[in-house]
Each structure stands twice: as C-alpha cells, then as structure tokens.
C-alpha cells in the first residue's frame, strides 16, 4: 500500500514530453500530461528547458527570456499559470477531467505562451517575440462511481410473457470513460430467482442491460418482485453503483412496438430555428387498443447535453431543438430514443438518432487582446510595437478567413503568426491633447455577407515634463482688510500645468523677498506678514513664481496686486478750526454763506455736519448735513448784527465717538457790489496783432479789469464767450492771460473778433463784456509775388497822402501866422486848465491864469504838467468848434449794468504825434505788436502817458476863452 502511494505521488509531478514539432521554422507545439484532480500549483512543465534543448539557447539568453500567457480565454488562463522568468507552468486550480471533457475519451487542453528576449537594464519593448502552442493532456483517475439514471424504477410485466423475455433497463453511466475506470461488470441480486441479468452491446458498441425472465410468471402466485442491479468499474480502488427495480406482474400485452429503422440520421444547419422540427420518428405496434397507443421519448441513457438541446413530441414523434444549435460547440449528436405502448405490461423499443450539424457563417471573429489597458509614453517613437491580439473565428473555410484593421490613424495592425496580430504606434502621441485613447480593432471574416467584430483597447498616454506651469493672468488681484491679524489669509495662487500627474506638481515662491506676505510653497496660500493700515499704504505688489517639481524645473512669473481695504477706524476732521464766511446783507433766505469742509482718512469718507450751539443759531442758519453748505434761514441785515459766531461739529454716523468740532464766523457785508470794469480791451484800444510765425503758448495780451466792491473780497474770472470757434486761443480764467492754444495755419490769417467776459463772485454774480480783436499777420515768408501790384499801388497812395498832408501843414502855418497877429489885439484874459501829473482825472486840480503873456502861460504848463520831448519840432491840436469837441458821454463799456464813464464829464484828446510824445501801448504784452492807433486805453486815461483836459463848467465857458486856450497851445 505504501509503495502504491509513492507511485501515485510520482505520477502527480511526472510530465512526459510526448512531442516537439517545429512548423515552418517559427511555430512550435509542445504536449504534456498531468493527472486530474491535483491541487492548485501542481507542476506541469518547464518549457524553458524544452525550448533550450530544441532551439539552442545559451544560458545567458535563458536568464533574460520572459514568458507570458497569450491566450486570453479565461476558461483556459484560469486553469494554468506561467512564471514569466523561469517558464514553469503550474495548474491554476484543481482540474476535473469529467468537467473539462464530458463524455470524451481523450481530454486535451491547449493554450499559447509567448516568450521573448528582453535586454537587461533596459526598459524597452519586447525583442524577438515568439509564440509556442502548449497542449496538456488531462489523464483520468478513477474518481467517479458508476451511476444509473434513476435510483429506483418500476416495470410492469405481463404474466403471459415467455421465458427469455427481456425487460430493458438503462445501463449505468461512469464519467470515467478511459481504460479500466469505466463500467466493467453488472450483477443482479438476487441472482437465483425468476429473473436474471442480460448484457448485450448495441451497434455503437455500448452495453445494453436488461432483466431476463427465467421462469413462467403467475400474477396470481406472485404479483411483484424487488431486484437490485450493481454496476462496478475496473479502477483501483473499484467503485460501484446500484439501481432498485420493482417488477409488477400484469395481464398480457404481447406485442412490442418497433421503429421503421434502427438508426435515424439527419443533416441540419446550425442556424435551424429553435422549436422547428428536424426529424419525425415513426414506429409500429401490431396490438390494438391501448396496447397499440405509442409514446416517443429520448432515452434516459442520453446525456444531459442531448436532453438540454432536443425534445420529442410524445405523440407525433417530432424531434426539434429547444435551444440554438452551434456547429462550433457541437458538430454531431448521437443518442437513443424510446417508443413504448400503453399496454400492460408496457412494451418498448429503442432506436438511435444521429443529428449532424452543418456550419453556416454565423460567427463573427472573436478578438482577444493580450490585455485591454496599456500605458504608453508620449515620447514613444512612431513605429514602436507595443502589443498583440489574437483572432478566433469558429467558422470553417472562407468563413474563418479574417482580416483586421484599426481606424485610429495613430496606430496600425499587422499580421504576425498563427492567428495573432501586432499593433504598432504610427504617429507621435501628445498627453496634453489626449490622455486616454480608445483604439478600436475591427476584424471581418470572408463570408457572404461578411461578419465583423469590434473590440476596443485603452491606451493611457504617459506624460513627460514638456509644459511650463503658468498663472491664469500675468497680474492677479487680491485684497485684505486693514487692522488684520498676522497670518490672515489673503489669496490662494492657482497655476496651471497641463502636464500629467507627477509632472504637474507645482511649487510657489516669492521672487526675492517680501516684508508684507508669506507664501506656502505647496498650497499657494498667501498670508499677511504684518498688520496693514489703509491710510498708510492702500496697496502693494508681490512678484511670484511657480515651478514644477521636475529637474530641471520649468517656471513662469506673475504679479499679485494686493489692495488693503479700508475699515472705519479714523474719525473725520475739519480742514481748519475756524471757518470765516461773508454774506451780503438783504439777500433772500437760504442764500449760501459758505461751505464747511472736512476730511475722513477712511476711504468711505462718510461723515455728517451739524450745529453744536443753541436753537438761536438754528433759527438764523441752516446746515446741510451732507454737503456742509451753511445757508441763511432768514434775510440778514447789518442793522441786526454784522457778525455771527457759532460752533459746528462733524461726526461719523456709524460711530458716534468719531467726531470733531470747529468754529464758524459769518460776516454780514454791506451791499456795495458793482460790476467789474474792463480796462483792457476798451473802446480806444481793443486790438492786437500777432505775427504768423508765433509759437503755441505765445502770450498775446492780458485782459485787465477792476472791481472795487465788497472790500476786496471780489475774485474775478475771465472767459471767451464768442469768436474762438477754431480754438486758436486759450484764456486763463484766473489771470486773464490770452495765449496761442495751437500752431497758426494759413486759414487763421486775418482778424479774430472775440467777445470776452469778466465775472465777479458776488451774489448775484455780475458780468461785464467787451470785444477784443486779434489780427493774425500775413505769412510774409511764404508770400507770393502775386501781391506785388498791390504793394506798388499802396506805396503810390501813401506818397500822395504824404504830399497832401505836407501841403495842409503849410496852409496851417500860414493861418497860424495870421491868428498870432490877431492874438496881440486880444485884451481879455484867458483861463487855462492844466492837469498836474499823478492826479486822478476824476478829481482834477485847477490852476487859473488870467491876463498872462503867452510865454508865461506855457511856462506854467510845462512846469506843472508835462515834459516836452526835444526831438519834436512842432505839433498842433486839432482845432474844433465848441459844438465839435469830443463828447465822450456816449462811451459805455459792454456791461449789463450800465456805463463805466461819467456822462457829466467832457474830454479832449490829443493826437499821438503831438509834442507830448507817442503813447506806449501798455495794454499789450506782445513786444512785436504795435498799437492799432484807435485810441488810448483806460490805463492811459488814468496816467500821465496820455493828455486829457477836462473841465466841468456847467455854464459852458465862452468861446473866447476856449479859442484863446487853443491859440495859446497852438502858438506854443
């Protein structure tokens, strides 16, 4: 017994290499044997040793070979495993031959193994990959006992049966079908009674057993018998099974039904419809009545595969499939059928049915990738081979011829060997564009119509560090409230690196250093490093950098502008402790006295004004809490009071403790307001010339005005109301200076008459207007000779006028000589009025000269009034009659408030070529321009630069006195 155990153990691990075949120099088949029912991990083969012996590999090559299971059918791959380094194949589970190869004498399991050479220390694709087909024959052991289809059966038998009658019994079935392990003997118990055991072989060589009648039966003597049949196999140890048979003796049914033929053969396509008849069984019974009624069925001896695939109509005998036939799974079914009558005893007969299944193109190619998920670097070069897949089409002939393709242009497939195909990379991959690629493999057979199948494998593109991490914007903005705590969160930086995991791990840092913030290098969180004060610093900028974690790292920079948000932490304050305001008396109620001003260092600038004094002040004044405007509540007069003093306060409405106070003094001013007087331009001098080549910003002149109202509290402003449509000029509103606003063009030549206005700041506001003409001189540098005739004409005209004037002067001299003679005859005295220098023309001082000689008169004039110019040879006053003396009472300034001249006064003016000398044009600040000769300015009137003789005689002095005065001056 011990020796037998040792032998069995040796058989468990024994592997016999029965054949080693090389086909076409590349394809290898290896066959091995292993006993069934061995534990998981049982040694099957060492294919490395077998390959070395037959392919002459060296030991170094052997050490660098790798092995892998190529077959992807889980029904096979779960049963075996292979060590990728040693090439040792072991069982993956306990194998049961009867399960793997049911009802088959030979049980062979096959699968494919790939082996390839991988150079050491190199992470490269497979080199020289080959495939070997392994066949493992599963050897039977006696591990199954014979079993009958039923544990107990009952048979009815007529008492009239003759000796030798056989009652058919289904034989025992032993799943161990090889050698002595199958059923070998049957025994009947009891063996010495009325029945015996009959054993025969059918046409297929299968044993048929039956109970044979050895004695005449007599139902009245004994109506039933209990028998047991034992079946034993020839294995070691021997196994047995039994069936209990109950025989009931009945009355006579003496004819047995029989089939027309002993074997029914039919050819059917595998796509035959389920439930459709493929064969009708026919049998006959010579009995009549119930004894001739036949019933058809599949013999209990048929395998479970047959009973699960076919069914027979018990009445019609029609045989039909109850599930879809499949040529690729089973090509032929061979099973017994039974017909029995309804007599008593029942008589039955068996026949054989052979169903041959023919192939149709009903199977699409089955695609089996080596694996369904691959990792492939984006740096892999086009043309690299990275996997294989197998294709199996169960159809035969042209139906099984397969062609495969890949639609993705980045990959291509190529036939390898056996039914294997390789997949190559055809185009460069980019992880940032596509991280996961679903590669569809399409395989079609050559049937008509062709059938196809599509299987997908997934390629995960592996990233390399080829992209720079970047911030979303070059300038980012954040904010934090003032009075923060150190360590308070400001913002979190979020950069983007489109590289994959591992390459997109980023680190943040501050460029240089910062005294304001800290930055977490991993999370990018920026925190306050100090307490901020918006009033001291409202914002700051932090340069930052982001780098990836690879070496060398890739980086980019940006700026973070942090705004310090204001909090209400500062009280408002008045801009000065005392506000002084003036208001003109008798103005209507709600007239503005002045405006309080305050500042709040907080950004919100939120404060309100209010009085802090008694109701008496509130009855006189109103204060706008938001604008700070102080208005009169009633009409104020100087008779009531000329000055009011009261207190005001400003406070933050959100924090009552934030407040400030100030004092206010309101002066009630006398209503002496008069409109401003424009002294230049005026009626006598209101123009100026500007050379064409003057530059932008050149000063043209200054608008001058005076206003003696309200004790010097008046502020004058200047504006151009009309005439500056071309925006050639710019008038300073505070100084009145008129300058060129832009370069002069040829379109600007000529006169530009403008209406200028002067405004005071009184209530109501007064405005005075005056016209002012600016002449842009002709561009002499670019003048054309086309004007030469005009110049010549003007020159001739000038000569004629000069001769005429000279002739007039000679005539006047002659007339003056005559008048001097008449002067001697005058006996009446002459009153002469002179203006002492430096006195106001509006309040002249008078000096009277009576009965003086001509010499003394003019000596007095020279002494008290004027300085004569030495280079003036002679001059004359224009002689006018009394009714032609210039009456300037009509002269008015362009003012909405009336004349600026006293209409009761009369003036005489002298010509600018008189002996008193030429008056300088003091109203114009342009040195290159000259007076237009249209008169003197008001400034001239109030100075010694022009001679004005004024008298206020209301009774109109006698013509004798005026004539005498004129003659005296002329004579001088």
């Amino acid at each position: 017994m011990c020796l037998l155990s040792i032998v069995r153990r040796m058989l468990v691990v024994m592997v016999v290499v029965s054949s080693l075949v090389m086909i076409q120099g590349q394809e290898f088949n290896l066959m091995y044997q292993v006993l069934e029912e061995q534990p998981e991990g049982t040694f099957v083969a060492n294919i490395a040793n077998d390959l070395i012996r037959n392919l002459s590999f060296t030991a170094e090559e052997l050490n660098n070979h790798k092995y892998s299971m190529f077959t992807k059918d889980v029904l096979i791959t779960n049963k075996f495993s292979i060590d990728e380094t040693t090439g040792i194949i072991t069982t993956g589970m306990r194998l049961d031959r009867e399960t793997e190869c049911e009802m088959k004498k030979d049980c062979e399991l096959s699968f494919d193994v790939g082996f390839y050479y991988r150079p050491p220390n190199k992470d490269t694709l497979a080199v020289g990959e080959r495939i070997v087909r392994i066949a493992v024959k599963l050897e039977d052991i006696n591990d199954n006992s014979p079993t009958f289809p039923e544990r107990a059966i009952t048979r009815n038998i007529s008492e009239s049966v003759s000796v030798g009658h056989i009652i058919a019994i289904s034989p025992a079935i032993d799943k161990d079908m090889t050698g002595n392990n199958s059923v070998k003997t049957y025994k009947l118990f009891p063996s010495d009674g009325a029945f015996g055991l009959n054993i025969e072989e059918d046409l297929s060589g299968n044993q048929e057993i039956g109970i044979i009648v050895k004695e005449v039966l007599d139902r009245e003597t004994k109506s039933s018998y209990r028998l047991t049949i034992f079946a034993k196999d020839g294995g070691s140890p021997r196994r047995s099974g039994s069936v209990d048979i109950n025989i009931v003796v009945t009355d006579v049914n003496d004819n047995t039904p029989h089939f027309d033929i002993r074997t029914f053969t039919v050819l059917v396509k595998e796509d035959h419809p389920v439930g459709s008849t493929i064969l009708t069984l026919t049998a006959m019974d010579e009995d009549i009545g119930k004894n001739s009624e036949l019933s058809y069925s599949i013999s209990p001896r048929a395998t479970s595969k047959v009973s699960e695939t076919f069914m027979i109509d018990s009445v019609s005998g029609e045989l039909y499939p109850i599930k879809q036939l499949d040529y690729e799974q089973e090509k032929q079914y061979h099973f017994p059928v039974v017909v029995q009558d309804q007599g008593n005893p029942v008589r039955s007969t068996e026949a054989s049915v052979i169903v041959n299944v023919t192939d149709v193109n009903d199977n699409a190619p089955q695609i089996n990738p080596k694996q369904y998920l691959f990792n492939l670097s984006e740096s892999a070069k086009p043309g690299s081979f990275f996997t294989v897949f197998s294709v199996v089409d169960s159809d035969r002939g042209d139906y099984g011829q397969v062609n495969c393709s890949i639609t993705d242009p980045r990959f291509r497939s190529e036939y390898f060997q056996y039914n294997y195909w390789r997949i190559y990379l055809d185009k460069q991959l980019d992880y940032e564009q596509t991280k996961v690629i679903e590669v569809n493999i399409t395989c079609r057979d050559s049937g008509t119509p062709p059938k196809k199948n599509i299987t997908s494998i997934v390629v995960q593109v592996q990233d390399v560090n080829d992209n720079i991490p970047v911030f979303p914007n070059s300038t980012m903005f954040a904010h934090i409230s003032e009075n923060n705590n150190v360590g308070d969160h400001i913002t979190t930086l979020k950069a983007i690196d489109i590289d994959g995991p591992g390459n997109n791990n980023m680190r943040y840092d501050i460029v240089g250093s910062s005294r304001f913030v800290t930055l977490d290098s991993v999370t990018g969180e920026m925190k306050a490093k100090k307490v901020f004060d918006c009033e001291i610093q409202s914002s700051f900028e932090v340069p930052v950098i982001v780098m990836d974690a690879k070496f060398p790292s890739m980086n980019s920079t940006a700026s973070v502008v942090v705004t310090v948000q204001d909090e209400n932490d500062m009280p408002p304050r008045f801009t000065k402790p005392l506000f002084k305001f003036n208001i003109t008396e008798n103005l209507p109620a709600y007239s503005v006295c002045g405006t309080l001003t305050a500042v709040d260092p907080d950004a919100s600038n939120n404060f309100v004004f209010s009085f802090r004094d008694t109701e008496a002040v509130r009855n006189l004044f109103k204060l706008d809490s938001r604008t700070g405007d102080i208005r009169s509540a009633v009409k104020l007069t100087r008779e009531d009071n000329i000055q009011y003093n009261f207190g005001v306060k400003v406070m933050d409405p959100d924090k009552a403790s934030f407040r400030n106070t100030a004092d206010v003094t309101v002066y009630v001013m006398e209503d002496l307001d008069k409109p401003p007087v424009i002294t230049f331009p005026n009626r006598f001098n209101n123009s100026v010339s500007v050379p064409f080549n003057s530059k932008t910003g050149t000063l043209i002149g200054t608008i001058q005005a005076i206003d003696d109202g309200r004790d010097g509290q008046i502020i004058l402003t200047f504006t151009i109301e009309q005439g500056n449509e071309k925006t050639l000029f710019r008038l300073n509103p505070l100084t009145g200076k008129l300058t060129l606003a832009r370069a002069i063009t040829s379109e600007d030549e000529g006169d530009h008459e403008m209406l200028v206005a002067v405004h005071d700041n009184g209530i109501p506001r007064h405005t005075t207007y005056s016209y002012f003409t600016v002449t842009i001189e002709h561009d002499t540098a670019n003048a054309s000779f086309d004007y030469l005739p005009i110049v010549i004409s003007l020159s001739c005209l000038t000569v004629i006028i000069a001769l005429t004037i000279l002739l007039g002067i000679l005539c006047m001299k002659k007339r003056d000589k005559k008048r001097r003679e008449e002067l001697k005859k005058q006996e009446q005295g002459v009153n002469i009025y002179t203006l002492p220098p430096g006195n106001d023309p509006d309040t002249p001082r008078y000096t009277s000269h009576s009965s003086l000689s001509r010499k003394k008169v003019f000596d007095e004039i020279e002494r008290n009034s004027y300085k004569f110019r030495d280079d003036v040879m002679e001059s004359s006053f224009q002689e006018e009659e009394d009714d032609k003396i210039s009456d300037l009472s009509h002269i008015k300034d362009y003012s909405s408030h009336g004349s600026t001249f006293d209409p009761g006064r009369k003036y005489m003016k002298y010509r600018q070529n008189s002996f008193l000398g030429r008056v300088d044009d003091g109203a114009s600040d342009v040195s290159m321009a000259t007076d237009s000769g249209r008169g003197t300015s008001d400034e001239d009137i109030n100075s010694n630069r022009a001679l004005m003789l004024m008298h206020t005689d209301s009774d109109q002095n006698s013509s004798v006195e005026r004539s005498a005065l004129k003659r005296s001056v002329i004579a001088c």
Side-chain angles (χ1 to χ4, degrees):
M1 188 65 183
C2 182
L3 181 60
L4 179 60
S5 176
I6 295 174
V7 172
R8 288 178 58 85
R9 291 185 180 181
M10 292 178 63
L11 289 173
V12 168
V13 299
M14 182 182 65
V15 176
V16 179
V17 180
S18 61
S19 62
L20 176 62
V21 183
M22 181 170 65
I23 301 174
Q24 297 178 352
Q26 291 293 328
E27 299 176 354
F28 303 93
N29 295 330
L30 294 174
M31 180 173 291
Y32 303 91
Q33 294 175 345
V34 65
L35 293 178
E36 66 168 333
E37 298 296 337
Q38 303 309 312
E40 178 181 350
T42 298
F43 176 86
V44 176
N46 185 335
I47 65 172
N49 292 337
D50 297 332
L51 292 174
I52 291 172
R53 284 196 299 269
N54 293 275
L55 297 179
S56 302
F57 285 110
T58 66
E60 180 183 358
E61 290 174 337
L62 174 63
N63 292 335
N64 290 314
H65 266 79
K66 303 296 180 182
Y67 305 86
S68 64
M69 188 79 71
F70 260 61
T71 300
K72 295 304 174 184
D73 185 359
V74 294
L75 296 178
I76 295 296
T77 56
N78 290 343
K79 295 177 175 62
F80 299 94
S81 63
I82 184 169
D83 189 294
E84 71 167 1
T85 303
T86 63
I88 294 176
I89 300 175
T90 57
T91 57
M93 62 171 62
R94 185 179 294 271
L95 300 177
D96 183 5
R97 182 186 181 282
E98 288 69 38
T99 301
E100 302 297 332
C101 305
E102 182 182 3
M103 304 305 292
K104 292 182 179 180
K105 291 185 177 182
D106 295 322
C107 184
E108 187 175 288
L109 304 178
S110 62
F111 53 93
D112 297 325
V113 172
F115 63 101
Y116 52 90
Y117 176 78
R118 186 185 298 275
N121 302 323
K122 290 186 179 180
D123 188 15
T124 61
L125 296 173
V127 176
E129 186 166 16
R130 298 180 182 179
I131 298 173
V132 61
R133 179 154 294 171
I134 306 296
V136 178
K137 186 175 182 181
L138 198 58
E139 295 294 325
D140 186 37
I141 63 174
N142 192 27
D143 58 340
N144 291 281
S145 299
T147 58
F148 289 88
E150 297 173 293
R151 297 295 302 272
I153 59 175
T154 299
R155 291 288 187 264
N156 295 327
I157 187 171
S158 174
E159 63 181 351
S160 63
V161 296
S162 60
V163 176
H165 176 77
I166 298 175
I167 303 173
I169 302 297
S170 296
I173 299 173
D174 193 335
K175 293 183 179 179
D176 298 324
M177 300 184 64
T178 61
N180 292 328
N181 294 328
S182 61
V183 176
K184 293 300 182 181
T185 62
Y186 291 91
K187 286 185 177 181
L188 177 66
F189 180 82
S191 61
D192 55 350
F195 299 91
L197 185 62
N198 183 69
I199 301 176
E200 297 179 354
E201 284 189 0
D202 62 12
L203 298 177
S204 301
N206 298 317
Q207 286 184 336
E208 292 183 347
I209 65 173
I211 303 295
I212 188 170
V213 179
K214 296 195 302 182
E215 298 176 357
V216 176
L217 302 177
D218 185 1
R219 189 183 71 82
E220 289 72 23
T221 301
K222 191 173 183 178
S223 62
S224 65
Y225 298 86
R226 296 185 64 83
L227 306 174
T228 302
I229 299 177
F230 294 93
K232 290 185 178 182
D233 61 20
S236 178
R238 299 187 67 180
R239 294 178 178 271
S240 65
S242 63
V243 60
D244 294 331
I245 302 172
N246 183 26
I247 297 178
V248 178
V249 181
T250 63
D251 285 334
V252 177
N253 176 26
D254 57 351
N255 287 292
T256 302
H258 57 88
F259 287 101
D260 294 342
I261 55 176
R262 293 284 292 172
T263 302
F264 294 88
T265 304
V266 64
L267 192 66
V268 61
K269 292 183 178 181
E270 61 178 332
D271 61 351
H272 187 85
V274 174
S276 179
T277 303
I278 60 175
L279 173 66
T280 300
L281 303 176
T282 57
M284 294 183 64
D285 191 332
E286 286 78 9
D287 291 328
I288 61 174
K290 270 189 133 354
N291 292 330
S292 65
E293 293 179 4
L294 303 181
S295 174
Y296 301 92
S297 63
I298 295 175
S299 172
R301 294 192 302 112
T303 64
S304 60
K305 185 180 295 185
V306 173
S307 60
E308 292 172 358
T309 306
F310 299 98
M311 183 171 287
I312 297 177
D313 188 299
S314 62
V315 177
S316 65
E318 292 179 348
L319 177 69
Y320 56 89
I322 57 176
K323 73 174 186 180
Q324 189 64 56
L325 301 178
D326 190 345
Y327 172 83
E328 287 70 37
Q329 290 186 1
E330 198 70 37
K331 301 175 179 61
Q332 185 185 72
Y333 296 89
H334 190 182
F335 55 93
V337 292
V338 176
V339 60
Q340 65 182 19
D341 58 23
Q342 304 300 317
N344 187 15
V346 174
R347 292 180 177 272
S348 63
T349 302
E350 287 188 354
S352 294
V353 174
I354 300 175
V355 178
N356 293 309
V357 182
T358 61
D359 187 28
V360 296
N361 190 27
D362 61 338
N363 290 286
Q366 299 303 308
I367 305 170
N368 302 305
K370 181 179 179 181
Q371 61 191 75
Y372 287 87
L373 183 63
F374 298 90
N375 294 326
L376 195 58
S377 172
E378 64 177 329
S379 62
K381 301 301 181 183
S384 300
F385 151 73
F386 69 93
T387 189
V388 299
F389 64 91
S390 63
V391 183
V392 177
D393 193 329
S394 300
D395 294 324
R396 294 294 180 262
D398 291 342
Y399 297 155
Q401 296 298 317
V402 177
N403 185 40
C404 299
S405 62
I406 296 176
T407 56
D408 194 313
R410 291 167 289 191
F411 303 91
R412 62 182 172 85
S413 61
E414 184 178 288
Y415 179 74
F416 176 32
Q417 66 182 41
Y418 290 123
N419 53 346
Y420 290 95
W421 295 68
R422 280 178 171 173
I423 298 179
Y424 293 88
L425 178 66
D426 222 24
K427 290 186 178 180
Q428 192 74 44
L429 302 179
D430 188 348
Y431 173 85
E432 288 69 39
Q433 290 185 357
T434 309
K435 297 177 177 59
V436 178
I437 304 173
E438 184 177 0
V439 181
N440 294 322
I441 305 170
T442 303
C443 294
R444 293 179 174 84
D445 62 23
S446 302
T448 305
K451 287 187 176 295
K452 71 175 182 179
N453 200 352
I454 299 176
T455 298
S456 298
I457 62 172
V458 176
V459 175
Q460 292 182 334
V461 182
Q462 301 299 297
D463 184 48
V464 296
N465 190 31
D466 58 347
N467 287 280
I468 299 174
V470 294
F471 290 103
N473 297 292
S474 60
T475 302
M476 296 169 287
F477 299 91
H479 59 82
I480 186 173
S481 298
E482 65 174 342
N483 303 320
N484 59 290
N485 296 320
V486 174
D488 280 357
H489 172 82
I490 297 177
T491 187
T492 300
L493 303 181
K494 293 294 183 183
I496 300 172
D497 189 337
I498 61 177
D499 285 329
N503 293 321
N504 62 0
N505 296 332
M506 294 173 288
R507 181 167 56 88
Y508 302 90
D509 203 354
I510 298 173
V511 179
S513 62
S514 173
R515 57 189 178 92
F516 301 113
V517 299
T518 61
L519 183 62
D520 190 296
S521 62
V522 177
T523 64
E525 183 181 14
M526 184 178 289
K527 295 181 179 179
K529 197 175 182 179
K530 58 175 289 186
V531 178
F532 297 105
D533 187 344
C534 178
E535 288 72 36
I536 297 177
Q537 185 168 20
S538 61
S539 65
F540 57 89
E541 185 174 349
V542 181
V544 293
I545 185 172
V546 60
M547 301 163 283
D548 59 28
K550 289 295 182 178
F551 181 81
S553 64
M554 307 181 80
N555 63 77
S556 64
T557 60
S559 294
V560 180
V561 178
V562 181
T563 302
V564 180
Q565 293 183 330
D566 185 48
E567 288 186 345
N568 192 13
D569 60 344
M570 299 292 290
R573 295 191 179 276
F574 283 105
T575 56
K576 51 188 175 181
L578 175 63
F579 292 87
K580 295 181 179 181
F581 301 126
N582 297 332
I583 185 172
T584 304
E585 64 177 340
N586 297 322
L587 290 179
Y590 300 104
S591 297
V592 176
C593 301
T595 301
L596 300 175
T597 55
V599 293
D600 188 341
D602 292 325
S604 59
N605 210 30
N606 185 27
F607 50 79
V608 294
F609 300 97
S610 62
F611 292 114
R612 59 183 175 91
D613 290 342
T614 63
E615 285 295 326
V617 175
R618 303 176 193 275
N619 293 334
L620 293 173
F621 298 96
K622 300 294 182 183
L623 174 59
D624 189 308
S625 63
R626 288 295 179 184
T627 65
D629 291 340
I630 297 178
R631 298 175 180 268
S632 60
V634 297
K635 181 186 292 186
L636 302 178
T637 63
R638 291 176 62 87
E639 288 76 12
D640 295 333
N641 202 344
I642 64 174
Q643 178 178 325
Y644 294 92
N645 298 310
F646 52 88
V648 291
K649 62 183 178 181
V650 61
M651 62 180 294
D652 191 320
D654 298 327
K655 289 188 178 181
S657 61
F658 283 6
R659 62 176 62 198
N660 189 236
T661 60
D663 295 317
V664 177
T665 299
V666 177
Y667 298 97
V668 181
M669 308 301 296
E670 185 177 0
D671 187 10
L672 297 176
D673 194 16
K674 296 179 181 179
V677 176
I678 299 176
T679 59
F680 178 79
N682 54 60
R683 179 179 179 83
F684 307 104
N685 189 8
N686 62 355
S687 64
V688 68
S689 297
V690 178
F692 183 86
N693 59 353
S694 298
K695 297 181 179 180
T696 300
T698 298
L699 181 65
I700 298 173
T702 302
I703 308 301
Q704 299 178 355
I706 59 174
D707 191 328
D708 57 358
R710 292 198 286 176
D711 301 332
Q713 298 293 324
I714 296 299
I715 298 176
L716 299 181
T717 56
F718 304 85
T719 59
I720 299 176
E721 301 296 323
Q722 298 177 5
N724 193 28
E725 288 76 11
K726 296 182 178 180
T727 64
L728 181 60
F729 308 103
R730 181 184 295 111
L731 180 61
N732 189 303
L734 298 179
T735 64
K737 292 184 180 295
L738 184 68
T739 58
L740 279 176
R742 59 175 176 82
I744 299 174
T745 65
S746 58
E747 296 179 355
D748 298 325
E749 293 182 1
D751 293 340
H752 296 265
E753 186 178 48
M754 292 176 286
L755 179 64
V756 296
V758 181
H759 317 274
D760 64 17
N761 63 332
I763 301 176
R765 188 174 76 163
H766 296 291
T767 302
T768 303
Y769 302 87
S770 181
Y771 281 99
F772 184 49
T773 301
V774 177
T775 301
I776 304 300
E777 296 180 351
H778 181 63
D779 185 7
T780 56
N782 299 319
S784 172
F785 288 102
D786 294 340
Y787 298 103
L788 185 60
I790 299 175
V791 173
I792 296 174
S793 300
L794 291 176
S795 300
C796 295
L797 181 60
T798 302
V799 172
I800 295 173
I801 293 174
L803 293 175
T804 303
I805 293 173
L806 181 60
L807 182 61
I809 291 173
L810 295 176
C811 293
M812 290 175 64
K813 284 185 176 183
K814 183 177 180 180
R815 187 177 60 178
D816 289 344
K817 183 178 180 181
K818 182 178 179 181
R819 289 184 177 180
R820 283 195 298 271
E821 292 175 355
E822 293 178 356
L823 184 61
K824 293 178 182 180
K825 299 177 183 181
Q826 297 291 332
E827 296 178 354
Q828 185 176 358
V830 179
N831 292 329
I832 301 176
Y833 302 94
T834 64
L835 285 173
N839 289 348
D840 189 346
D842 290 341
T843 57
R845 296 171 55 192
Y846 304 102
T847 302
S848 175
H849 304 269
S850 177
S851 302
L852 297 176
S853 66
R854 182 175 62 186
K855 183 176 183 304
K856 291 181 178 181
V857 170
F858 285 97
D859 288 345
E860 183 70 11
I861 291 173
E862 182 178 9
R863 182 171 60 254
N864 295 328
S865 302
Y866 309 103
K867 297 179 181 180
F868 293 90
R869 295 177 59 175
D870 297 335
D871 56 348
V872 178
M873 298 300 299
E874 58 181 357
S875 64
S876 65
F877 277 83
Q878 179 180 354
E879 182 178 355
E880 297 178 352
E881 296 298 329
D882 182 54
D883 58 349
K884 294 182 179 180
I885 294 177
S886 298
D887 184 356
L888 304 180
S889 63
H890 69 282
I891 297 176
K892 295 183 179 180
D893 199 0
Y894 293 85
S895 171
S896 61
H897 301 286
S899 171
T900 59
F901 289 84
D902 188 348
R905 297 176 180 175
K906 295 183 178 180
Y907 297 83
M908 294 170 57
K909 67 178 180 179
Y910 71 95
R911 293 182 179 273
Q912 287 186 344
N913 59 354
S914 68
F915 70 93
L916 296 179
R918 184 174 181 87
V919 179
D920 295 330
D921 190 356
S924 175
D925 293 328
V926 183
S927 61
M928 70 287 289
T930 58
D931 191 353
S932 62
R934 297 180 183 178
T936 63
S937 67
D938 287 349
E939 184 180 357
D940 296 333
I941 294 173
N942 296 325
S943 68
N944 289 333
R945 293 162 61 188
L947 176 63
M948 274 198 178
L949 304 180
M950 178 183 70
H951 65 87
T952 58
D953 297 324
S954 60
D955 58 349
Q956 302 293 326
N957 293 332
S958 65
S959 61
V960 176
E961 292 175 339
R962 289 195 297 273
S963 300
L965 176 60
K966 294 178 182 178
R967 285 193 296 272
S968 298
V969 174
I970 293 171
C972 181

